[in-house]
Structure formats: structure tokens, C-alpha cells
Amino acid sequence: MISIYLVSAVVLAYLFGSIPTAVWFGQAFYGVDVREYGSGNAGATNTFRVLGPKAGAVVMFVDIFKGFTSTNLAYLIEAGQSTSNVQFVNYQLALGVIAVLGHLFPVFAGFRGGKGVATLFGMILAIHAPASLLCVTVFIVILLTTHYVSLSSIMAGFTFPFSIAFLFKTSIPSVLLYGIAICALILITHQKNIERLLKGHESKVYLFKNKKKKI
């Protein structure tokens, strides 16, 4: 029998993930739907590009929080049944993935979402904090040296599976498989960015320039 706690956690994870932070924030404070500009995605990267670093930072923080909160809904399931450490982590992974799917296909924004990188980070922050902090370090270093948010996101995403496999040596196979899946998802959702990077057409973001792009 399916537990009411499990059903509740799954539904909440999708709804949390579906909160279109970039869309709502852009419309509320800038009168802009970021999906109509830049790359057309409703995520932190495009918000950085279209509305500037302050707006992008707010959207990124909230999207990270969405992933972190959704993943930790596993505690709700645990409240309704006893779980082993591996089972608990698997529930975290499942709920985090559901939240990411909510971000990619948000019910509150016509199923037109973002690329899920910030939400993915919130997920790995809940599951493996040390590896997530290493990913943040890689993200910041790449961003400060290249000014490409997309490249920074890609490199940070690839850092996770390598770090948990070779540095932290996780004993839970599903976490490693998830890390590999992250790489695949990031490559799929960043195809256009990769094309623009190869052609030298990708937009740059300068964190310490407080200029909002004219729309």
C-alpha cells in the first residue's frame, strides 16, 4: 500500500520545483518575462543575462532552496515508515529529481521552465554537502575567469560525479549513478549554450558590473 506520506512528498516536491522563480520575480520587479528574452529559459542563467547579477542571484538562491527543500521531504516519508540509510538517500534522490522535473516543466508557468542547474545544486547540497561545496568552488572559479554562466554550470555539474567517485568515494551506488545522470542532463539542456560557446557567441556575465541589460 502506498503511504500517504510518500504521495504527499512526491506532490509537494513537484509543486516546489514548479515555482517559476525567474518568471515571477522578473514580472513582479521588472515587468519582464525572461522567457521572452535571451535564451528563452526561465532560470537563473537567463535571469543573470537579461536582468543582471542582482536579479540572477535572487533567482539562483530561491531555485537552490527549491531543490534543497524538495529533497529533504524524504524526512516526511521517514516519519511515516522506518527506512535504512540507503533507502532514505534513494528517497532523497527521487524527490530531488521530481523537483527538477517540476523546474523543467512547471505547472505554474505553462510547462516552460529553466534548465534545472540551481535546483540540481540544491538537491546535491541536501544529499552530499561536501561535494556540493566543491561544485560551488568550481562554478565560481570558472565564472570569474571566463564570465560564462553556462560553462560554469557545466563544469560544476561534471565535478559532482568525479568528486563523489574518486575524492569522497561514496558507498551508495545510486548516488554515483545520479551524478552521471546529472552530466547527461546538463549536456542535454545546454546544447544551445554549447553551440554558442563553440562559435564564440555565448553572452558573458560580469558579477561586479551592476548594469541591467536594456530590453
Side-chain angles (χ1 to χ4, degrees), residues 90-114:
N90 286 339
Y91 279 130
Q92 284 187 305
L93 288 168
L95 293 170
V97 168
I98 290 169
V100 172
L101 289 175
H103 181 84
L104 295 174
F105 309 105
V107 66
F108 301 125
F111 302 99
R112 292 176 57 199

Side-chain angles (χ1 to χ4, degrees), residues 14-36:
Y14 175 74
L15 293 178
F16 284 160
S18 287
I19 296 172
T21 316
V23 176
W24 288 354
F25 186 83
Q27 290 176 336
F29 295 98
Y30 294 85
V32 168
D33 185 340
V34 296
R35 295 174 299 176
E36 304 303 320

Side-chain angles (χ1 to χ4, degrees), residues 45 115-122 124-125 128 131-143 148-166 175-190:
T45 299
K115 296 176 181 177
V117 174
T119 307
L120 278 170
F121 174 72
I124 67 173
L125 180 62
H128 202 300
S132 68
L133 294 177
L134 181 58
C135 291
V136 169
T137 302
V138 171
F139 179 89
I140 293 174
V141 170
I142 299 297
L143 182 59
Y148 291 123
V149 176
S150 57
L151 180 60
S152 304
S153 299
I154 293 169
M155 296 306 296
F158 274 76
T159 299
F160 181 71
F162 282 100
S163 65
I164 60 173
F166 301 110
V175 176
L176 180 58
L177 290 174
Y178 164 71
I180 295 171
I182 283 180
C183 295
L185 179 63
I186 288 177
L187 288 177
I188 291 171
T189 58
H190 285 77

Side-chain angles (χ1 to χ4, degrees), residues 139-214:
F139 179 89
I140 293 174
V141 170
I142 299 297
L143 182 59
L144 292 177
T145 53
T146 69
H147 307 291
Y148 291 123
V149 176
S150 57
L151 180 60
S152 304
S153 299
I154 293 169
M155 296 306 296
F158 274 76
T159 299
F160 181 71
F162 282 100
S163 65
I164 60 173
F166 301 110
L167 182 59
F168 300 107
K169 298 180 180 179
T170 181
S171 60
I172 302 177
S174 56
V175 176
L176 180 58
L177 290 174
Y178 164 71
I180 295 171
I182 283 180
C183 295
L185 179 63
I186 288 177
L187 288 177
I188 291 171
T189 58
H190 285 77
Q191 285 183 15
K192 292 183 179 179
N193 300 87
I194 293 171
E195 290 175 7
R196 288 194 295 267
L197 284 167
L198 292 174
K199 294 177 181 177
H201 297 161
E202 181 74 325
S203 299
K204 292 186 175 184
V205 170
Y206 295 88
L207 293 179
F208 302 108
K209 283 188 176 181
N210 190 26
K211 287 184 178 181
K212 189 182 86 170
K213 188 174 180 177
K214 292 183 178 180

